[in-house]
Each structure stands twice: as structure tokens, then as C-alpha cells.
Amino acid sequence: MRTALVYHEEMTAARLLWDDPECEIERPERLTAAVERLQQGGLEQRCLQLAAREASEAELGLVHSPEYVSLMRGTQALSTEELQALSGQYDAVYFHPSTFHCARLAAGAALQLVDAVLTGTAHNGLALVRPPGHHSQRAAANGFCVFNNVAIAARYAQKRHGVHRILIVDWDVHHGQGIQYIFEDDPSVLYFSWHRYEHGRFWPYLRESDADAVGLGPGRGFTVNLPWNQVGMGNADYMAAFLHVLLPVAFEFDPELVLVSAGFDSAIGDPEGQMQATPECFAHLTQLLQVLAGGRVCAVLEGGYHLESLSQSVCMVVKALLGDPAPPLLGPMVPQHSALESIQSVRAAQAPHWTSLWQQGSTPTLSLSTCSPERRPSPVSPGGPKCKAAEAQTSAVLSSLLDRLHLCATPPVRTAIALTAPAAAMVLPPDILRQEESAPREETQAWARLHEALTQDTAFTALGKVLHLLNGILDGQVSSGIATTPAAASTLEVVLRQGLSHGAQRVFCVALGQLDRPPDLANDGRRVGS
Ligand code: Q9C
Ligand code: ZN
């Protein structure tokens, strides 16, 4: 079992008991919608399902003060009026008689996930929890958060499992200031957060959410804030943030465990975030994180208030954790000017602390040139004032998402392998398809006649297998494959032509090491990158 899914239905018990427009979005249906979608997609059954346990008070004490834990324990016995009065003591918080139980389950779920991953029971996983955690502080509830689930899990991983370096990736659209405060002077926990900031004019309105807040004392450089100063950030902006900020720093940090504060209010359709990234983007973000810490990635739900967008994004994360290939990202893959400014400012602020950011000085030459936009859908209008047209476009994009989920079905075969002798005698793992030579001989012969090198027996046989493999990939039957051949350049040229004439729009060739001769890729320079 690769991927753990930690959940408990009792976390749906807490709900808002009075009128409060700010808090009403944090409702039980967030969890039920996400779980139902996981079931519908057949994803829940592919996971190791674990029932959440309550965190003990000692475990809560890894992050929170005893007085605060006692105060929260006391909420179980309060009347509605008393609960409302206590809620008013905090910013954007509501309590329910079941809140303490739910919040202990939420923290406990994160701990159980960490246990499963660090004992090897699972490779990675997701905890579906509420209330969320990343705004919660040592002695304060904040922003719907009661206990800081991810912060507790980080301290627990260190104390209980002896993990040294932990990376926390907070892709929720709000700044997890609670996590920042808890680890701000601690170099053993690297905290990365991007968040809607709008030059300080968005909640929680903190100066310390800006890019120049990098941590304190020995923790300098171990807080990485990427403030978005406009709404409407999309797939290209999120990918650029990971590729140009998070991943360079994370590789240099070399974490032993990755915790994700996985909020989906940063996805399209969310009323809080007003961003444009589509659910598939979260599959890509998850995939990128899996290259770190030996793939030990534990995601814990934070925000996410558009039920459809939330549910689809959760499915994308689970699919990526299970190892399914990420669906292609649609829309123009060009970062916005404002995103590049934000990326540049955090690189500048962090450059003194991370050698990997020196490379291009603190001013990355992020290319503004574009990939060929033909056959890509028209861009969703980014940011700007909310208008009817933009909203209509957003909901049009959203309603097409479900269709695309079906179109992007995962191929039944993950990896096919086409080998020539003597490698063909190799014993293969059971989940790898041995590609047989069953392409139409005539087609192979026609190709081979054009290339002297391919008339040779082993090369001819190999070409037949490779063409068959390629057809499997183009038909959606096979995800990826590997092949051997004594005539690599000629085979590559044939495969390239075949791919381009059978539906591939753009092909990227990467050569590692040397081919028998330089292949001729110039036949269609518009579509072949190398
Ligand atoms: N329109 C989480 O996502 N209200 N908490 C902000 C701005 C508080 C969000 C109001 C939002 C709290 C976990
Ligand atoms: Zn949030």
C-alpha cells in the first residue's frame, strides 16, 4: 500500500451555530464532498484507509500552551451563547461543542499520517481534516484553526521519529502565520508559504507575510514567503513559483520529510482566493514535491471553500500520491508580470541564505517568450476587477473540469519496455509490460527502407516494438515506455515522424549521452524542441 488516506467522519460534527458571513464557508460539506468524490473516482479504495485518532493533550502540548489546551477542552461544556462570546475573542473563529473533539482528531490524523509514512507502512498520504490548522498559534485560535495540525506533526516527527530536517509547503491561499511564528527561529523546519497578499491589503493583513520576512536568529532563511500581490494567479504562476523558488531552496535544504499544508482555496472558483489555478495543477505540485525526502510527502487539508474545486483538487493530489501521471496543464503557460515580480522579490530576499538562488543573481531571467499557443484554449482572464464575464468564464472552466477528468483517464499500463537481445532476456518486475513485436510489418518495412541502419535485423525488430509502444502511448493504453535499439538516431527520426503524424502537437527530445549519429530533427522545427 503506497498512499495512506486518514479521515474520520466525526470531523464533520463541528458547524457554525449562529450567523457569521465570514465563518460560514468553513462547513462540514467540505469533507463529505471531498470524500464522496474520492469514492466516485475509485481513489479511496486504492489507498490505505486509516481512521483518524485523537491527538493526546501531551501531543497538543508540543506546540500549544497548557492554558490554551485547557481553555479549548472547556469549550465542550459551553452554551451556544458562551461559545459565541469566546469565538469573539479571536479573529475569524467559531466554536461548537464538538470543536475540541474534531480539532483533536484533526491533529491526530496528521500524527497518524506521519507515523504511517515514517514507519514505512505507507510511502505518502493525505489527511482530510477539519478544523484546519495553519493559522493557529501557541495560545490562540485564528482563521477557522484551533490546533496547528501540521506544526504539531512536524514537532512530533522530530521527537518521536528522530527526523531532523522538515520542509513545510503551505499552498493554501492564506499565509499560515501560525506555522511561521512557531518555527521562525528554528532552522530544522523550513517553512514555505505563498499567499494572497495584495501589498498587505488581504487578510490577515500582516507585515510579516511579505517576502522580506525570512525568519529570526538561527532560523534566518528558513521562512520563505511568496506574497501574491494580485488575484488571478494561475497554473503558470504556481509552477514558476515551485520551479524558481521552492525547489532550488528545498533541494539545498534536503529535507527528510515533507509536510504539505494543503489548502485548496488557492484553486480556481474559491471565493476566498480568487485565483485561477486548475485542479490538475495540484497534481503537478504534488509530483514535484515527491522528488524530495525520498517521496515521504504527508499532505494535510487546510482551507478550500468551493466544494467542486476542492473535491477535484483533492482527487488530483491523491492521484499524484498514488503515482498516476499528472494530466496536462491547460491554458497559456506564461507567468504573469505580477507573479514574476513576487518571485523576483522572494529570490532577492532569500539569496543571502541559499546558494542555489545565486545562480542567476537575484534577478532570474525568466523567459517571457511563449510556447506555441496554437490549439490551446483561450486564456482565462487573470485578476483584475471582478466582472460578470470573468465569473462566467470561471464557471465555464469549472464545469469543463469534470469532463476533462474523464478524458485524462490513466492508461491501464504504467510502463512498457521494448528490449533487444541480450537485454531482452532480463527478468522484469510484474507491473511492467514487455512490449512484443506486433506492429504491422508492412509499416515497419516502409520506414526501414528509408533508413539503411534499420534494415539490419535487430534494428528492424526493435523498430517494430518501438512503433507498437508508441501506438500504445498515443492510444492512451500505455503511460510511458523504454526501448533499446542498435540504431538510435534512425529509430528516433521514425518515431518522431510517426508521433507528429498521429496526433502529437509538440515533441520534446532529450538526449542523454551520445547517439550513433546526430539525428535529423530539423524536419519540423516548429514542433520539435530538443
Ligand atoms: N475575505 C483557512 O483557509 N477570513 N482560513 C478572511 C477575507 C478568514 C481562512 C476574510 C479566512 C480564514 C484555513
Ligand atoms: Zn486558507
Side-chain angles (χ1 to χ4, degrees):
M1 283 289 192
R2 258 190 63 88
T3 298
L5 183 65
V6 192
Y7 175 66
H8 201 299
E9 205 182 325
E10 284 168 18
M11 283 184 284
T12 60
R15 60 189 173 86
L16 182 62
L17 295 175
W18 51 87
D19 264 347
D20 182 345
E22 189 178 25
C23 289
E24 69 190 7
I25 57 176
E26 202 295 291
R27 49 203 186 99
E29 291 76 18
R30 298 178 55 233
L31 284 189
T32 48
V35 169
E36 263 170 42
R37 183 59 61 82
L38 284 171
Q39 288 166 348
Q40 285 167 5
L43 293 166
E44 189 194 44
Q45 298 89 307
R46 293 172 61 196
C47 293
L48 171 66
Q49 292 171 247
L50 300 174
R53 66 165 173 92
E54 283 191 328
S56 69
E57 294 204 5
E59 288 163 344
L60 299 176
L62 291 169
V63 160
H64 299 283
S65 72
E67 298 75 20
Y68 176 68
V69 174
S70 299
L71 183 63
M72 292 301 109
R73 190 195 313 117
T75 61
Q76 296 175 103
L78 297 183
S79 68
T80 301
E81 291 69 33
E82 291 167 323
L83 288 168
Q84 188 169 2
L86 182 63
S87 302
Q89 305 285 301
Y90 301 105
D91 185 7
V93 170
Y94 69 89
F95 295 110
H96 179 273
S98 72
T99 290
F100 183 65
H101 177 56
C102 293
R104 281 180 64 178
L105 283 174
L111 300 185
Q112 237 176 334
L113 180 54
V114 161
D115 277 334
V117 167
L118 293 180
T119 58
T121 308
H123 289 129
N124 56 36
L126 171 70
L128 283 177
V129 305
R130 58 186 289 275
H134 70 152
H135 298 301
S136 155
Q137 297 148 41
R138 178 170 163 79
N142 182 279
F144 314 152
C145 302
V146 177
F147 298 129
N148 202 311
N149 310 317
V150 165
I152 296 167
R155 285 261 182 269
Y156 177 84
Q158 293 181 320
K159 292 249 153 72
R160 177 70 178 265
H161 295 281
V163 168
H164 304 107
R165 291 177 312 284
I166 298 177
L167 169 65
I168 299 177
V169 178
D170 188 341
W171 71 43
D172 186 281
V173 87
H174 301 97
H175 181 214
Q177 85 279 34
I179 301 182
Q180 175 167 315
Y181 298 154
I182 290 159
F183 299 111
E184 62 189 352
D185 60 354
D186 185 343
S188 70
V189 176
L190 172 57
Y191 176 61
F192 170 88
S193 173
W194 67 35
H195 32 269
R196 179 172 171 187
Y197 187 60
E198 296 176 294
H199 302 284
R201 290 188 286 272
F202 188 71
W203 189 90
Y205 315 106
L206 299 171
R207 178 66 188 81
E208 61 267 32
S209 303
D210 210 347
D212 61 353
V214 299
L216 303 176
R220 286 174 64 80
F222 296 91
T223 293
V224 179
N225 281 330
L226 173 39
W228 299 124
N229 287 316
Q230 287 182 10
V231 297
M233 294 302 158
N235 296 340
D237 307 302
Y238 286 5
M239 292 303 286
F242 264 45
L243 295 174
H244 298 291
V245 179
L246 174 61
L247 291 179
V249 168
F251 267 102
E252 189 172 337
F253 180 63
D254 189 23
E256 296 159 310
L257 175 67
V258 178
L259 300 177
V260 184
S261 268
F264 299 99
D265 41 17
S266 47
I268 187 168
D270 193 279
E272 277 287 309
Q274 304 286 323
M275 298 299 180
Q276 294 280 0
T278 60
E280 301 86 82
C281 190
F282 294 91
H284 286 266
L285 301 181
T286 304
Q287 220 168 52
L288 290 174
L289 293 182
Q290 289 183 79
V291 302
L292 301 163
R296 287 184 287 274
V297 175
C298 296
V300 181
L301 182 66
E302 299 279 1
Y305 307 101
H306 186 291
L307 297 187
E308 182 66 17
S309 183
L310 165 69
S311 309
Q312 290 187 21
S313 301
V314 163
C315 286
M316 284 296 158
V317 168
V318 170
K319 274 173 71 66
L321 289 174
L322 284 165
D324 289 359
L329 291 177
L330 302 182
M333 286 306 290
V334 186
Q336 298 175 33
H337 182 78
S338 168
L340 294 177
E341 281 183 338
S342 295
I343 286 170
Q344 188 143 311
S345 73
V346 57
R347 285 181 60 105
Q350 295 291 341
H353 310 287
W354 300 99
T355 310
S356 50
L357 297 179
W358 296 1
Q359 216 168 355
Q360 300 142 333
S362 54
T363 47
T365 45
L366 296 177
S367 170
L368 278 169
S369 74
T370 70
C371 62
S372 62
E374 96 271 12
R375 298 228 346 169
R376 283 174 173 270
S378 63
V380 174
S381 67
K386 248 171 65 175
C387 65
K388 281 266 148 58
E391 271 182 12
Q393 216 166 9
T394 295
S395 69
V397 170
L398 264 175
S399 59
S400 77
L401 286 173
L402 191 58
D403 304 338
R404 271 196 276 133
L405 276 182
H406 296 303
L407 288 175
C408 295
T410 306
V413 175
R414 174 82 181 280
T415 305
I417 184 162
L419 298 173
T420 45
M426 217 164 73
V427 179
L428 299 178
D431 57 332
I432 291 187
L433 175 80
R434 191 183 292 277
Q435 188 66 65
E436 301 303 340
E437 176 193 8
S438 49
R441 300 278 297 179
E442 280 166 43
E443 188 187 35
T444 314
Q445 242 143 13
W447 287 116
R449 269 194 294 270
L450 300 172
H451 294 263
E452 162 96 55
L454 295 176
T455 55
Q456 182 213 336
D457 221 32
T458 40
F460 180 79
T461 306
L463 179 63
K465 292 184 184 181
V466 174
L467 287 175
H468 193 214
L469 169 56
L470 178 67
N471 286 336
I473 290 176
L474 293 173
D475 292 349
Q477 295 302 304
V478 178
S479 177
S480 60
I482 185 167
T484 57
T485 171
S490 299
T491 305
L492 187 61
E493 287 164 11
V494 170
V495 166
L496 205 56
R497 280 186 175 280
Q498 178 84 343
L500 288 171
S501 62
H502 283 65
Q505 285 296 305
R506 289 173 295 279
V507 178
F508 187 45
C509 295
V510 180
L512 301 174
Q514 225 136 38
L515 296 174
D516 47 326
R517 64 171 172 80
D520 174 22
L521 303 181
N523 53 38
D524 190 346
R526 190 172 56 87
R527 289 181 294 183
V528 179
S530 69

